Amino acid sequence: MHYYDERLTDLVFSYMRDRLAMDPVPLDHPGVKDKLDAALAGLITAQGHDPAKVLEVYADQLAPAVISADSPRFLSFIPAAPTKAALLFDMVVSCASLQGISWLEASGAIAAENQVLRLIADKAGMPASAGGCFVSGGSAANLSALVVARDTARRTRPGLGVPRIAVSDQAHSSIINTLNIIGAEALVVPTTGHRLTGEALRAALEADGGRDVIAVVATCGTTNAGIVDDLAGVAEVARERGLWFHVDGAYGGAGLFAPSVRDLYAGIEHADSFVVDPHKWLFAPFDCAALLYREPRLARAVHTQDASYLDVLHTEEDEWNPTDYAYHLTRRARGLPLWFSLAVHGVDAYAEAIEKGIELARRAAGLVRSSDHLELVVEPTLSVVLFRRKGWQADDYHRWSRRLLAGQIGFVTPTGWEGETVARFAFLHPGTTIGIVEEILATM
Ligand SMILES: *Cc1c(COP(=O)(O)O)cnc(C)c1O
């Protein structure tokens, strides 16, 4: 199985070449279980198969049953738009099965990953001490960071009861999951205009007494609507009260690179931990989330795994072991595709591509505003647009969404807003044009 097979290599490389060259990639469809089961039936046998036959099953039956998140017509949830350079370098990471566990084993990969983490920390204005690692996604990053918040509080606050964490009613679902996993309770802070403010946090803490509240989570920006919390106000209250200040920028953190919205992020420099997903708006392939700590030693104290056969990893002070900054041990050097693409294209190209999504949201909002039967639900802040079709009920939106996908016009799923079903665009693919937006709006 381990010998170099030229024919197999050519076969797979040729498939990859074709996929990379597709412009645009097809949106494709959800699969049908019986059909997929039939395609896979008998494929894994004792003796194996000709790779050409297996690849054909993948290319003809499986791949078309995966909706392409990197299609410029994928406007649901949070889309993806990895650069070709990042995709290609992901293959290098795969080819070399490159790990990024410890400095001893993988210093070359880790040094490059840390160069990217430093760039992100600088964009956020975090101090020179800041550092962290890349994990699989925002969920893993939020969990890893809030475990550090919890255990730091346990160490420094004798007599702490069940830890509580202040969150807004707009926080991402992964934050609520995290609280369940780590045994923390939520102090839910009501928002004004779906935005968490320092004032609301202070009022909630005063009304509640704030006992055992150890941390606060702010979002920049919210997944549903792209709203950026009042980071400066929240940071100030966190400082007054000695709370850990966690900033979830899994989707919107990339806006730090966009001059037109950078002001919205004022206060982020005070974050104790900060998360941004390059597999969202920093154009890296799945799965890649950057996790930064203001004081990495606090994370090390919590996450370093203690086993006698690992002691050899933890000898030199300035050797950086990414494994010590999240709940993982083995990890892929998943920051390298972003590192390669950033080094190839330069940071300005990233700023420009991110601005494009913001600009498209503004233009789409303009189209909605100028249409008699459409209505903006809220002014877009980043690259998400929420709008309604006057007179439509939930069923109308769902039927419309299925019709758009069936016709391969777009993948646009509705969302909820204050109890109402509304339409939602999430832009970030630089290949999404105002023409595509017009085409979709015309179907309403
Ligand atoms: C997407 C998102 C997450 C979860 O990130 P995954 O990479 O999907 O695990 C967390 N928070 C926010 C604000 C997000 O947009």
Side-chain angles (χ1 to χ4, degrees), residues 23-101:
D23 184 25
V25 300
L27 196 48
D28 291 324
H29 301 272
V32 178
K33 183 164 187 309
D34 290 350
K35 249 186 92 184
L36 293 170
D37 286 347
L40 290 167
L43 206 61
I44 297 182
T45 58
Q47 303 304 324
H49 289 287
D50 179 350
K53 186 190 159 188
V54 183
L55 186 61
E56 193 181 296
V57 172
Y58 172 74
D60 296 350
Q61 312 275 345
L62 306 182
V66 179
I67 300 178
S68 306
D70 56 341
S71 158
R73 292 175 183 273
F74 187 116
L75 306 176
S76 292
F77 316 118
I78 302 292
T83 66
K84 306 292 184 196
L87 287 169
L88 283 160
F89 209 79
D90 206 51
M91 296 178 200
V92 175
V93 175
S94 290
C95 252
S97 193
L98 217 56
Q99 53 98 339
I101 300 171

Side-chain angles (χ1 to χ4, degrees), residues 78 136-140 142 171-175 219-223 248-252 275 277 279-280 288-289:
I78 302 292
S136 63
S139 306
N142 284 330
H172 188 264
S173 47
S174 63
I175 296 290
T219 312
C220 66
T222 60
T223 318
D248 179 2
Y251 149 59
V275 172
D277 272 3
H279 68 213
K280 288 178 173 169
C288 183

